[in-house]
Amino acid sequence: MRSLVLFALLGCGGSSTPTVDPAVAAADPAPCPAVAANVVKFVDPAMSTDKVRPLLEQHCRDDKWSVDLRKCIVTGTSEKDLDGCEKYYVGTQLENFKRDLEKLEATNKPLDTPPPPTPTPTPDVPPAANTIPK
């Protein structure tokens, strides 16, 4: 039975160029763009979501994040929920993503922020004019 389904999906003959079935892509319960869209809701406002979103999508796709991981992230409604998704990362997926995110954070810091002001020392206060030294 299984071989019949496989045969029906592959067809007879066919072309040598593999095609992507849009129905398969549409059936993905948690596509990488949706994963990225949900995560950026919880990103530090100082970070540029325009840079974080493509980084997320790239790691999701290139590191082949599992459906369980992607579903966990897409359904997360808080940072705590997303923290619970870490159990679904395998191998170096999480470390790879964190490494690239840290690089992005380092390049996202404003360069022309002035340093904090240094406190000025308080001058010695002379004794009041009407006091007599002992």
Side-chain angles (χ1 to χ4, degrees):
M1 178 72 164
R2 185 177 231 169
S3 61
L4 289 175
V5 172
L6 183 59
F7 181 74
L9 289 174
L10 294 175
C12 299
S15 70
S16 61
T17 307
T19 59
V20 176
D21 184 357
V24 172
D28 187 347
C32 290
V35 169
N38 198 44
V39 172
V40 296
K41 293 176 188 175
F42 306 104
V43 170
D44 180 353
M47 285 290 294
S48 169
T49 58
D50 293 339
K51 293 180 180 179
V52 175
R53 186 183 306 256
L55 180 68
L56 279 158
E57 287 186 36
Q58 175 190 352
H59 276 279
C60 176
R61 182 184 58 251
D62 295 351
D63 293 346
K64 297 179 180 19
W65 290 0
S66 70
V67 172
D68 288 336
L69 172 59
R70 291 182 283 124
K71 281 174 42 177
C72 181
I73 293 172
V74 166
T75 59
T77 58
S78 69
E79 285 186 48
K80 185 177 180 180
D81 289 346
L82 297 183
D83 289 343
C85 299
E86 288 188 10
K87 65 185 173 193
Y88 295 109
Y89 286 100
V90 295
T92 60
Q93 289 175 331
L94 182 58
E95 291 80 19
N96 293 342
F97 174 64
K98 283 183 176 181
R99 179 194 65 233
D100 288 348
L101 185 61
E102 287 171 0
K103 287 179 188 175
L104 182 62
E105 287 173 340
T107 62
N108 196 47
K109 292 182 182 176
L111 299 176
D112 49 332
T113 303
T118 55
T120 56
T122 56
D124 291 334
V125 178
N130 62 353
T131 60
I132 303 172
K134 293 185 179 185

